[in-house]
Amino acid sequence: VVHFPYQMTLGAIRNDSLIYQMGKVVAGQFKRAGVQVNLAPVADVNNNRRNPVINVRSFGENPENTASKALMYMKGLQDYGVISVAKHFPGHGDTEVDSHSDLPVIRHSRTRLDTVELVPFRTLINGGVTCIMPGHLNVLSVDTEQNMPATLSYPVLTGLLRNELSFKGLIISDAMNMGGVTKYSVPGDAEVRALKAGMDVLEYVEQPELAIKTIVERIKKGEVASEIIDEKCRKVLAAKLW
């Protein structure tokens, strides 16, 4: 396959149509390999030089430039038949903790989120991105509960992403075995909470059999409506059909 530069390098390109062409080539490589979903682009605004996990994966520190580059990458993928996943909602750029090992806390006001972190995600949603991946981030201006990752947060996934930003596509989790989730919840219960918060697809579940068993038990108890499973199944099947 063609090895393209990191997104930070691509962020310096002035002609955004080149990013679209790259997305097209990446889509072709994916399709030849039989892969239908690309967990890209990273839509985080890289505004913290001490960030241990996003850094060169971001298009840069400018929200508008990040938005335009991410949009072109997404369109290049989806115009050529590969599902794009924008991440890590609502923005993992200004953190000093790696969510693979612990839960980063985002303390910014809603005004700040609206003018920086959410800019690329709004652009991608309006542009028709199929999937969005939330980050394992404790976003206190949206959900005041301590140690609550966005992955399990109803105010973040349903309140902000679905209702406020009107995102109708698939919400796919970051890996459920990462410390940002596992340090503050237990397998089985974490998956139920993600489901109730608005998650459609769970990625890298630590104990899949336990997760399914726990969800089925909660449905039988009436804690989770079986219609929710039907709805999410239809959405996944619609994406597969596309």
Side-chain angles (χ1 to χ4, degrees):
V1 298
V2 178
H3 183 81
F4 290 100
Y6 286 116
Q7 283 192 193
M8 182 176 282
T9 304
L10 299 173
I13 291 174
R14 294 187 180 184
N15 183 353
D16 287 353
S17 68
L18 294 173
I19 308 296
Y20 178 86
Q21 294 298 325
M22 182 194 75
K24 172 183 173 180
V25 173
V26 170
Q29 294 178 171
F30 267 62
K31 297 196 84 168
R32 286 198 299 277
V35 180
Q36 294 81 37
V37 181
N38 187 3
L39 302 182
V42 169
D44 302 311
V45 180
N46 183 49
N47 45 17
N48 187 332
R49 64 179 181 172
R50 292 181 294 275
N51 195 309
V53 65
I54 301 303
N55 48 68
V56 297
R57 299 164 69 195
S58 166
F59 284 114
E61 74 281 4
N62 182 285
E64 287 73 25
N65 185 54
T66 298
S68 63
K69 298 288 194 295
L71 179 68
M72 287 297 99
Y73 190 7
M74 178 274 284
K75 284 189 173 294
L77 291 170
Q78 293 192 175
D79 284 355
Y80 290 88
V82 170
I83 288 172
S84 172
V85 183
K87 61 188 184 183
H88 306 79
F89 184 83
H92 203 327
D94 196 0
T95 62
E96 296 179 24
V97 173
D98 184 347
S99 54
H100 289 87
S101 56
D102 206 338
L103 180 63
V105 179
I106 308 294
R107 304 183 187 278
H108 297 309
S109 67
R110 264 309 303 271
T111 301
R112 155 61 190 259
L113 290 178
D114 285 336
T115 54
V116 179
E117 280 78 11
L118 290 176
V119 171
F121 291 102
R122 275 204 182 89
T123 299
L124 286 157
I125 290 168
N126 292 337
V129 68
T130 303
C131 299
I132 286 182
M133 177 184 288
H136 302 316
L137 307 163
N138 189 194
V139 189
L140 295 176
S141 64
V142 183
D143 189 338
T144 56
E145 186 174 341
Q146 297 291 320
N147 299 325
M148 173 59 73
T151 315
L152 314 182
S153 169
Y154 185 90
V156 174
L157 301 190
T158 298
L160 177 58
L161 184 53
R162 288 274 185 237
N163 296 342
E164 233 183 286
L165 301 182
S166 301
F167 178 62
K168 308 299 183 189
L170 285 167
I171 303 176
I172 180 170
S173 78
D174 209 342
M176 294 295 288
N177 69 334
M178 289 165 60
V181 170
T182 59
K183 285 192 74 169
Y184 304 97
S185 57
V186 297
D189 184 62
E191 285 74 23
V192 169
R193 290 166 70 188
L195 180 66
K196 292 174 69 176
M199 194 69 68
D200 296 309
V201 180
L202 292 166
E203 180 213 345
Y204 214 132
V205 172
E206 276 197 300
Q207 300 181 45
E209 291 182 1
L210 174 62
I212 293 169
K213 179 184 176 185
T214 306
I215 290 169
V216 170
E217 287 173 352
R218 302 292 174 87
I219 290 172
K220 289 178 178 176
K221 291 178 181 177
E223 186 181 328
V224 177
S226 60
E227 289 80 9
I228 291 176
I229 306 297
D230 296 339
E231 175 203 348
K232 295 179 187 306
C233 182
R234 279 194 296 272
K235 289 174 73 173
V236 169
L237 289 172
K240 288 186 175 187
L241 179 64
W242 178 82

